Structure formats: C-alpha cells, structure tokens
Amino acid sequence: MSRRIRRLSPLVAALAAALATTPTLAAQEIDTLALRAHTRFLANDLLAGRGTGSPGARTAGLYIAAQLERMGISGAAEGGGYFQPVPLRAATIDRQATRVVVTRDGDVSGYRAGEDFIVDIGGRDAFRDFTGEALFAGTAGLARAALEGRPRLDGQVIVVVGPLGREAGTLLPDWVARGAEGVVLLIPEPDRFAAFARARGRERLFVAADVDAPVWQSPLPTLVAGPRLTAAILAGAPIASNALDGSQPFNALPLGREIAATIRTTTRPVDAANIAGLLPGSDPQRRREVVVYTAHLDHLGIGTPIDGDSIYNGFSDNAAGVAMVLAIADALRTAPPARSVLFLFLTGEEKGLLGSSYYAAEPLIPLDRTVAVINLDAGAPPAPPLDWHVAGGGTSTLGEIARRVGAAHGWTAEPSTASPNSDHWPFLRRGIPSIFLIPGQHWEGVDGDRKQALQHRWEHYHQPADHWARDFPLGGLRRYAELALAIGREVADAPDRPRMLEGAGPRP
C-alpha cells in the first residue's frame, strides 16, 4: 500500500461514517436521473404505448416489479408477489351490426357506429340494446335540476350536451335507480368527436366482477353522438339557447322522437394486473395502517396515426407518474415512516379506472387500514410549478395537510373538489381520504412567452407526440415528486390519520 493511500484511508473511513449518518431528509431526495431512466424505458416504442392488457403493458409491469425488488420492497399481493390479477374482458364493437335508429313523426333515419356515434365505456351489463323516448336534460351541470320533477325515468333515453365530467358520479347512479333506458351524449363539433372516438378505440374493457363503480362501470348503455346524429336528435326541437350552453336551469324537455340502439359485441378475456409493493412502517403500533401512492401504468397503445406516428407512448401520461412513485419508494426505503406505505401501480385507468375500481372492491390491504391515497397522474410539467390543485382535498383533512406541506416549501396547494377522472376516485367513493395532485400554471422562473413555448414543445396529451426526449427538463417532475413525498411522509408519521369531512365527499 502506498503512503498516499495509507494517508487517505482515515479520510475514506470518515466519509463512510458521515454517509452512514446522513440526515433522513438528505437521504430522501428525489433522484432526477432515476426519473429520466424510468420514463425512458416505459415510454419506449418497444412497449407500443402500454395499451391495457397488451404485451407492452405486461412488460411495464415486469419492469416495475423488478425495480421494487431491487429496492428490497416486498410484494403486497398473495404469497408475497407483486401482481394482483384483474379480471378484465374486452368487448369489441361490431361496427357493421351496431346502429342507431331515430324515429320522428313516422320518419325513420339510421346512423352508423364509428361514423355517427360511438358506444361509450360501461360495465359488464352496459353493452346491450335499448329503446326509449328522447328526453333532453341540457348540460351535465343542469341535468339534475332539469329532471327533478320526474321520479321515474322508465322508457326514457336521457340526452345531454357534452360529456358528463365530474357530474357523472351523481347523475349515472341516479338515472340507473330511476329506470332510464340509456344515455346519449351530444358532441356536435367534428374535431372534438373525432378525438373522443380516437381515444376510445374499438374495444371497451370492463371488469368481470362486482366492483360497484357506477361512473366508469355503469350498467346503463351510453352512446356518444357525433355531428350528424346530434343534428337528428335535436332537429326541430324547441330548445332555448340557455339550455344548450348551460347558463340557466330549465325543465327536462321531451324531444318527440324515439331512439333505438342495437349494440353488438364480441368479448375476450384480457390478461392484466395491478402491481403492488409494501414498505413496512417503522412504528410497531402503526405499521398495520398504510398510506398509498397510486399511478397507472397503462396508456392508449397503438391508435390512429398522427403525422405518421401511431404509437401513443404516454411519457407524460403516465410513465411520469410511475417514475415518480418508484422514485418516492426509493427515497422512503432508506428511512421508513411510522406507518407502512403501499406503492400501487394500476392497470386500465385509460379504459375507465378499471384497476383502481377492482382494487377498491378487492383490496390487498383492508380499506379500514388505508389512511390516505395520493394519486399521481397529471403529467410532467416542463418547469417547476409554484402552485398545485389538490383534487379531492376539499373532502377530507388530507387537503389541509397538503396545503400546509406546500406552504412549508413556499408553494401554494389549494384543495378543490373531486372528479371521477383518475384513480383516486374509487377510493374516495368508499370514504378513504384521497387526493389527486395536479400542477398549476405558475412556473418558477418562466415568463409568459417562455411558458407558451414550453407548452407548445412538450404538452401533447393523448397524442403520439407525448414521447420521451433526452432534452426534456425534469425539474418540474422532480418538484411534483417532492411534494408528493413530503405529503406522504407527513401523513405516515402523524399521530392521527386524516378524516373525511362531514357531507363533503362522494359516497356509494
């Protein structure tokens, strides 16, 4: 051994000792290089867009499980495995045999699936024929008030302008209970209808189990009408403009025409699974309780080509979310919090919250031991956000925790209402404090012109252009993960668990 090496040995030993006693917070930094590597793999063309149940999605699942195993985080599924099989089936719409007929004053007109309308997402009982009188209920925001005077909806097809959005969580269960025959959603804009049809594709996946998910797994058959069918349904009807734009309440209006839908499908089983890893808590008294991080691993797969590209890689949606949860797991494992943490990667979000709906119905850890859910599915901001929307935060004290944690970092995190638009929703319906963190539109060090340029370059929601790039600025994604990590640790170490606010949250 040289004299120089002998002189360095005490220094190396001192450095090793210092690293071994590094404070917890320093050990829990988010690894930006890991974010880059995870997203690069998951958004690669070889995974073909990670369509639900596809070989690419299964490859993504294997990658995630391998990463958890590398970290020493054990599987939370049966027998200590990482995979929770989800009983999915795919219904392929037969476009030749699926049709809609509108009858008005003896005049009959027919409309074709794929061109004039599409069959929307539904549960295992939704893909069936229906016939009824068209009853116009305005926009989703007006529909509840418009139908209040009708205790029963038997023999009626509810017609609504535009998607149901956040109102679906209350409207669909109510219409099912009141006996409606079906629903038609009107989208008269050609480009918007085309985008909607492109996102839905040819297949409709559903959970072949009782999951009690009335929004995305509704038993009520639902169609989305394009411009030509929309015109036929509304032609000659005395509808005031304020009923079409949602500006004023009104009473539901019978349109004086019958809508008859014939829906034909073929079904097949789909091989899909959720991935779950469990980090045991450090406190023997609280480790039976879990804080859950969720991110969906699927995307749209192969779809309609845009500029010659048909692979919908899903870098931002949601390879970014998966990468963040993996990075958070890697950070937390060095110093586990008091409560246990479940890292849950869900299948079928893009097809209707399928994996999360199944998990909430068949949880690997009982829901009464699940203290909070933190969902990451809002894309990769191309700059560090200064503000955040905490969707679902208005329904529980978890929203106030997020606000306080954000403020401690100099960021604004405002609780807001929940929508059935991501994987937090099935948990929230069951009374579990759940939030969906969404980056806001104020970015650190970015002025108006620069922000517009960044958005143009990087924001390609549900398009093939949403792919991995070496020069993507990862500072925003790192901050997103940092906020989620800080909120999760706060909840996992707190003496008391978050609680739902009285009358504030959606319930079954």
Side-chain angles (χ1 to χ4, degrees):
M1 180 183 293
S2 72
R3 181 178 300 174
R4 182 180 181 190
I5 291 176
R6 285 197 299 270
R7 287 199 304 266
L8 286 175
S9 295
L11 177 60
V12 171
L15 284 171
L19 288 172
T21 57
T22 299
T24 295
L25 289 180
Q28 291 185 321
E29 292 183 355
I30 296 297
D31 186 344
T32 307
L33 291 177
L35 294 176
R36 185 179 301 281
H38 294 322
T39 52
R40 181 176 190 177
F41 180 86
L42 293 166
N44 191 278
D45 277 1
L46 290 175
L47 273 67
R50 308 185 311 279
T52 304
S54 70
R58 291 193 290 276
T59 300
L62 287 169
Y63 176 84
I64 293 165
Q67 292 299 316
L68 292 171
E69 189 166 19
R70 174 189 65 81
M71 298 175 203
I73 294 173
S74 60
E78 185 177 354
Y82 294 99
F83 297 88
Q84 180 194 35
V86 179
L88 299 186
R89 292 191 67 85
T92 301
I93 310 300
D94 183 340
R95 291 185 176 178
Q96 297 300 316
T98 297
R99 62 187 185 277
V100 165
V101 172
V102 177
T103 304
R104 175 191 177 198
D105 297 331
D107 292 332
V108 178
S109 53
Y111 301 89
R112 301 179 61 180
E115 297 179 11
D116 301 316
F117 69 93
I118 63 170
V119 178
D120 204 8
I121 287 170
R124 58 184 172 182
D125 298 322
F127 305 105
R128 54 182 170 83
D129 300 350
F130 66 89
T131 301
E133 297 297 322
L135 180 63
F136 184 70
T139 62
L142 292 176
R144 173 173 284 277
L147 294 167
E148 274 184 347
R150 295 173 176 267
R152 297 294 303 172
L153 296 171
D154 303 87
Q156 306 295 310
V157 174
I158 311 303
V159 177
V160 177
V161 177
L164 297 179
R166 69 173 68 249
E167 306 297 334
T170 55
L171 293 177
L172 286 173
D174 178 55
W175 295 345
V176 170
R178 287 201 270 170
E181 303 296 333
V183 178
V184 178
L185 308 176
L186 307 180
I187 299 185
E189 305 90 347
D191 290 346
R192 189 181 179 200
F193 173 70
F196 204 100
R198 186 167 58 245
R200 289 291 187 260
R202 292 286 299 271
E203 289 188 329
R204 304 291 177 264
L205 270 61
F206 61 91
V207 183
D210 185 7
V211 294
D212 186 26
V215 175
W216 295 98
Q217 293 288 281
S218 170
L220 199 59
T222 302
L223 307 181
V224 179
R228 204 166 78 93
L229 180 55
T230 294
I233 291 173
L234 297 182
I239 300 175
S241 60
N242 57 23
L244 292 172
D245 63 20
S247 60
Q248 290 185 12
F250 75 109
N251 292 324
L253 176 69
L255 294 177
R257 64 211 68 191
E258 181 187 80
I259 299 175
T262 300
I263 300 175
R264 295 290 178 267
T265 65
T266 56
T267 64
R268 62 176 179 85
V270 174
D271 183 5
N274 296 326
I275 316 298
L278 182 67
L279 178 67
S282 59
D283 183 351
Q285 301 302 315
R286 284 180 284 175
R287 66 168 52 128
R288 291 185 74 257
E289 298 180 332
V290 295
V291 173
V292 182
Y293 284 98
T294 58
H296 71 88
L297 62 90
D298 66 312
H299 193 56
L300 301 180
I302 305 295
T304 304
I306 297 178
D307 296 330
D309 188 355
S310 62
I311 299 177
Y312 289 68
N313 299 86
F315 159 70
S316 185
D317 180 20
N318 190 33
V322 170
M324 285 190 288
V325 174
L326 286 172
I328 289 167
D330 217 358
L332 284 174
R333 71 186 175 95
T334 60
R339 292 184 175 89
S340 298
V341 183
L342 181 70
F343 306 101
L344 185 58
F345 304 87
L346 296 156
T347 189
E349 190 273 350
E350 297 288 0
K351 298 298 185 180
L353 315 188
L354 303 176
S356 55
S357 295
Y358 183 72
Y359 182 92
E362 300 288 342
L364 298 173
I365 296 173
L367 292 186
D368 61 4
R369 290 164 48 195
T370 301
V371 305
V373 173
I374 301 169
N375 182 46
L376 305 181
D377 180 28
L386 295 170
D387 64 319
W388 309 82
H389 303 289
V390 186
T395 65
S396 74
T397 57
L398 186 55
E400 188 53 43
I401 293 171
R403 188 203 302 269
R404 185 172 65 249
V405 170
H409 288 77
W411 311 324
T412 301
E414 284 301 318
S416 61
T417 56
S419 296
N421 61 346
S422 193
D423 285 322
H424 63 300
W425 181 261
F427 297 94
L428 199 58
R429 283 195 69 249
R430 286 167 170 79
I432 308 301
S434 306
I435 56 174
F436 175 16
L437 294 177
I438 303 173
Q441 292 299 308
H442 296 92
W443 299 342
E444 185 174 310
V446 177
D447 61 19
D449 290 343
R450 175 62 176 157
K451 178 181 175 182
Q452 188 174 13
L454 285 170
Q455 289 174 320
H456 178 75
R457 173 69 178 85
W458 298 114
E459 293 186 2
H460 304 290
Y461 176 72
H462 278 198
Q463 298 178 44
D466 180 26
H467 53 69
W468 186 89
R470 186 177 299 277
D471 59 338
F472 181 84
L474 285 166
L477 192 61
R478 175 174 177 167
R479 179 166 293 180
Y480 191 171
E482 286 172 341
L483 176 62
L485 170 62
I487 293 170
R489 173 163 277 284
E490 174 86 5
V491 174
D493 279 334
D496 300 319
R497 56 193 289 172
R499 58 181 175 81
M500 297 294 291
L501 300 176
E502 188 66 30
R507 297 296 176 90

